Amino acid sequence: MTDTDSSHSRRTGPHEVQFGALFGPGSQFHRFFNDPRWALAMVRATVLEAAHPQIGAALIDNSTFVAHPWRRLRNTFLSLQRMFGADDDARQREAARLNRLHARLSGADARNRPYDAMDPQVRAWVVATLFESTVTMCRLSGQPLEQTDMEQLYAEFQAFLAVLGDQAGHLPPTLREFWPYYDHMVETELENTEALRIILYKLFDHLPAPPLLDGLPTVWAAGRALAGPVIGAITVASLPEPFRRRAGLPEIPGAQTLMQSVYMAAGLARFLPEGWIEVESLAGLIYLSPDSDDPRAATITALRDRMKRAGALFRLVTPFPTQSGPEEGTGARRSAEEFFRTVLDQTGDGYLDWPDLAAMARELSSRLDLDEPEETRLYNAYAEWWRELQAALDIDGDGRISKEEYAAAVPSLAGPALIRVAEVLFEVTDADGNQYIDADEYRALFRTAFRRTVPGTEERYSRSAFVKDFLSFMSGRQRSTAYDPLLADA
């Protein structure tokens, strides 16, 4: 019997505890997945992960969480859903995908300390933060877990780590041994990293609008101005007190009371009828475009119209500065600076380098759910494009491209390597190999029907048309109803 069996017994002390299913509908994780409190727990866990020096450095160098936080959130939920779902084949494929992703993330931080996303101790800490934050979520909302439920949940997260292939021992074998391990990590290993500071003091205050509210900057700015500081305050208040002291995080008067009130209020969702809150549906709604063929799109369009009118009223009665949203329609050109910021600079650090193009390859591979060798082909095509860009645009030779270098050097990026990126993307999207992208294949990549985004293309999308449109977007800086949600949206 292995750690990934659907049910087993694990000795946690003098008594033998019988556990139910570790994955799927019978698991403790499944019980929490659609719980609104878990969004708070996820934010808290992310902060604790970012406070680990290796994870913080990897986030700064490679992650899109600053420029594209909603995309990263959606992908995280999708990954957890696959890992903890009932389909074992989907779980094994997702584990293999995560391992390939992590194997590509290594480097050194600002103090020249190495980091490696495949380090088993680091991966164990990620799982530990998810488990402990879920336990804390229940406690803060006045519904602490029973001991047996806590042990079951711990066994599930251990099984999650085992599916990734990590050997036993990187997480303590029993729940009783876990708490000293967790306290040691908090008191001695965590730091006030740059990634932690960005999450707490920049991300919440400058969170970009999700696709659903794109084009409604005034409405979004008003809501963010109220919600951003609250989320930051309750997150800091929920962190372990020893770490708050060591990191010098400010103690805001009333934050503890506010935090407990928010957790308690979110916990009331347990009284809602079953099925009212579904994470998958909510995530899909956040990303729903008015151009989608989803039946909910008409309602969303009407709601957006009303919100635009509310935004106009807000501009009359509030001091929020006027903010311009994206231009309406397709075909409008972006400035070089805007294109650099919204499309090329995926990590949001102000420069274009390999992690930005790797993030594009990662997002496309995730959308298409690619296996090997297609995933590697796409990464290799982007790597070749990066070498071409670096040779043409890196004027000062510092290994990265600034927006000034990009804007001044050339007006177009359509070299042979970018054409190859377009061809490889077509080939991996064309799953049946018939040299056309049909409706289902198009939906897998763009999450909408092509009759909405490519007028006149009712039945299929040819290789030449696809490559032409991709190059028009990437080199001509053309706005595109199809490609903007793919690479430019948050």
Side-chain angles (χ1 to χ4, degrees), residues 105-187:
L105 304 180
S106 60
D109 66 9
R111 294 162 58 181
N112 207 32
R113 295 178 297 182
Y115 67 82
D116 183 352
M118 286 298 287
D119 185 327
Q121 300 287 357
V122 172
R123 282 153 59 110
W125 177 243
V126 172
V127 174
T129 63
L130 289 171
F131 167 73
E132 189 276 338
S133 291
T134 306
V135 173
T136 299
M137 165 194 89
C138 294
R139 176 176 55 80
L140 292 177
S141 57
Q143 304 168 50
L145 289 175
E146 298 287 344
Q147 182 70 17
T148 54
D149 291 338
M150 200 184 306
E151 290 170 348
Q152 162 86 27
L153 184 65
Y154 187 58
E156 292 168 14
F157 278 106
Q158 286 179 305
F160 169 84
L161 199 58
V163 171
L164 292 175
D166 289 359
Q167 297 297 316
H170 299 300
L171 269 183
T174 67
L175 181 60
R176 179 178 297 176
E177 294 167 284
F178 171 80
W179 298 114
Y181 154 80
Y182 177 81
D183 291 340
H184 170 77
M185 291 293 295
V186 166
E187 293 170 7

Side-chain angles (χ1 to χ4, degrees), residues 360-373:
M360 293 185 196
R362 186 164 65 243
E363 173 63 16
L364 295 170
S365 297
S366 298
R367 280 182 175 241
L368 295 170
D369 197 19
L370 297 182
D371 287 326
E372 290 286 21

Side-chain angles (χ1 to χ4, degrees), residues 178-296:
F178 171 80
W179 298 114
Y181 154 80
Y182 177 81
D183 291 340
H184 170 77
M185 291 293 295
V186 166
E187 293 170 7
T188 64
E189 298 295 325
L190 303 190
E191 299 177 1
N192 189 348
T193 63
E194 181 183 359
L196 179 144
R197 294 191 296 273
I198 287 176
I199 294 172
L200 291 179
Y201 304 122
K202 178 181 177 181
L203 181 58
F204 293 142
D205 288 343
H206 299 85
L207 189 68
L212 176 65
L213 297 178
D214 194 29
L216 301 170
T218 304
V219 173
W220 177 252
R224 183 181 59 193
L226 297 173
V230 171
I231 297 173
I234 65 175
T235 301
V236 170
S238 71
L239 296 176
E241 196 270 339
F243 174 65
R244 292 205 310 270
R245 285 201 315 267
R246 287 181 53 245
L249 299 178
E251 191 75 41
I252 301 175
Q256 289 289 332
T257 302
L258 175 63
M259 171 197 66
Q260 291 179 340
S261 299
V262 171
Y263 271 93
M264 292 285 285
L268 295 177
R270 70 186 188 278
F271 296 114
L272 293 174
E274 186 176 355
W276 274 37
I277 299 178
E278 295 286 344
V279 168
E280 186 174 7
S281 298
L282 290 175
L285 187 63
I286 289 174
Y287 265 80
L288 189 63
S289 165
D291 299 302
S292 172
D293 60 344
D294 189 298
R296 298 172 295 178

